[in-house]
Amino acid sequence: MKLDIILAGVGGQGILTVAAIIGEACMNEGLLIKQAEVHGMSQRGGDVQSNLRISDSHIYSDLIPKGAADVIISLEPMEALRYLPWLNPETGWIITSSARFVNIPTYPAEDALEAAYKNQPRVVSLDVEKLAKDNGIPRSANMILLGAAQEALGIEYSKLEDAVRRLFARKGEAIVEANLKALAIGRDEAKK
């Protein structure tokens, strides 16, 4: 088993929490993990990216080579496109939020983003921000995106649920339940 994941977004969106949950789920299965993180500005709005490499055998590098990523998970649509050179062009998946975070003056127009995604073979794009707000869990958009990525990741859904329970347990049962609800919403939306 080998799984190379690029997680991308902007500061404050919770992309590193997604990485922690995926890592927790896989470590509890006895898999090996290497992770490399690149943080942008220390405040909200800066680029945040993480390479997450998972395998049942030795992993020699924590960085994913160009053309080798199995999945890009992005909480911001332009950030996913930034890492396209690293995606496997034949089998790679993009799981992204469609909600734009326009934080630079040269941000591409919405139709330009949509055109770029149409050229990719496997894309799941959801407005996770809207789904989170509409379902009364506005701080759980990242978990909705993780739920949408479950099939592309090939990680058993119950393993992700267990990891969410463990990671959020110290925050109380209400937070755990909100994040489990978000995970289920994402899974269900991706299947539509």
Side-chain angles (χ1 to χ4, degrees), residues 136-147:
I137 47 174
R139 298 193 60 182
S140 298
N142 60 338
M143 291 300 105
I144 292 173
L145 193 67
L146 177 57

Side-chain angles (χ1 to χ4, degrees), residues 17 20 163-176:
T17 301
V164 165
R165 284 186 187 97
R166 282 190 299 274
L167 198 70
F168 289 107
R170 64 181 169 78
K171 294 187 176 190
E173 191 60 29
I175 300 297
V176 170

Side-chain angles (χ1 to χ4, degrees), residues 105-126:
T106 56
Y107 195 98
E110 193 166 349
D111 57 342
L113 287 174
E114 289 174 13
Y117 282 117
K118 285 184 182 177
N119 292 328
Q120 302 305 313
R122 294 178 181 89
V123 177
V124 174
S125 178
L126 299 172

Side-chain angles (χ1 to χ4, degrees), residues 18-30:
V18 171
I21 290 170
I22 293 170
E24 174 85 9
C26 291
M27 283 187 348
N28 286 321
E29 290 298 301

Side-chain angles (χ1 to χ4, degrees), residues 10 22 46 64 92 131 134 137 150 165 175:
V10 296
I22 293 170
I64 299 169
L131 286 166
D134 290 352
I137 47 174
Q150 182 263 323
R165 284 186 187 97
I175 300 297

